[in-house]
Amino acid sequence: EVQLVESGGGLVQAGGSLRLSCVTSGFTFDDYNIAWFRQAPGKEREAVSCVVGSDKSTRYADYVKGRFTITSDNARRTVTLQMNALAPEDTAVYYCAAFGYCGSRIAEYDYWGQGTQVTVSS
């Protein structure tokens, strides 16, 4: 059974940092891409970042480039999203997703975690 479990969310002041983790199980870790999405209240879910399973190359949405870093730890089967210079507009529930093509379409991902709340105060 494929499982994705996020953690690390919380409340932080603008300019601060948070580190999100997505622990995975139930599939061959290197074979699949893992992405982070986010959904703010009243808005559509949007892609944030993605790491390609085969070569660990990374993708970032323009609105997080230079602030967020995605990494992949094979031994721990964990994908981490380091978020720096957070702003109130980063407030959202953050989800990890698996089995997609590192694109921005929600429909291409087969599995999702339950999400972790990130709140950035001004």
Side-chain angles (χ1 to χ4, degrees):
E1 178 189 7
V2 174
Q3 288 192 325
L4 308 172
V5 180
E6 303 99 332
S7 63
L11 174 64
V12 64
Q13 289 189 334
S17 299
L18 281 174
R19 186 181 181 121
L20 305 184
S21 294
C22 174
V23 178
T24 72
S25 62
F27 61 95
T28 303
F29 189 70
D30 279 352
D31 286 352
Y32 297 99
N33 308 330
I34 306 292
W36 284 96
F37 281 71
R38 68 186 185 185
Q39 187 166 18
K43 295 188 176 181
E44 293 187 352
R45 195 169 297 189
E46 62 183 10
V48 173
S49 184
C50 187
V51 58
V52 177
S54 58
D55 64 4
K56 306 308 177 191
S57 60
T58 58
R59 312 279 190 271
Y60 295 96
D62 287 343
Y63 34 83
V64 303
K65 276 181 183 176
R67 300 189 298 124
F68 291 12
T69 303
I70 189 170
T71 56
S72 177
D73 184 334
N74 283 13
R76 297 182 179 182
R77 301 181 55 90
T78 299
V79 174
T80 299
L81 187 68
Q82 177 67 42
M83 306 187 297
N84 298 329
L86 284 162
E89 52 265 36
D90 294 315
T91 294
V93 177
Y94 283 71
Y95 300 89
C96 63
F99 290 22
Y101 297 99
C102 270
S104 61
R105 295 185 307 114
I106 295 170
E108 73 179 61
Y109 295 89
D110 294 328
Y111 294 95
W112 294 82
Q114 82 288 350
T116 186
Q117 176 71 48
V118 171
T119 303
V120 185
S121 63
S122 57

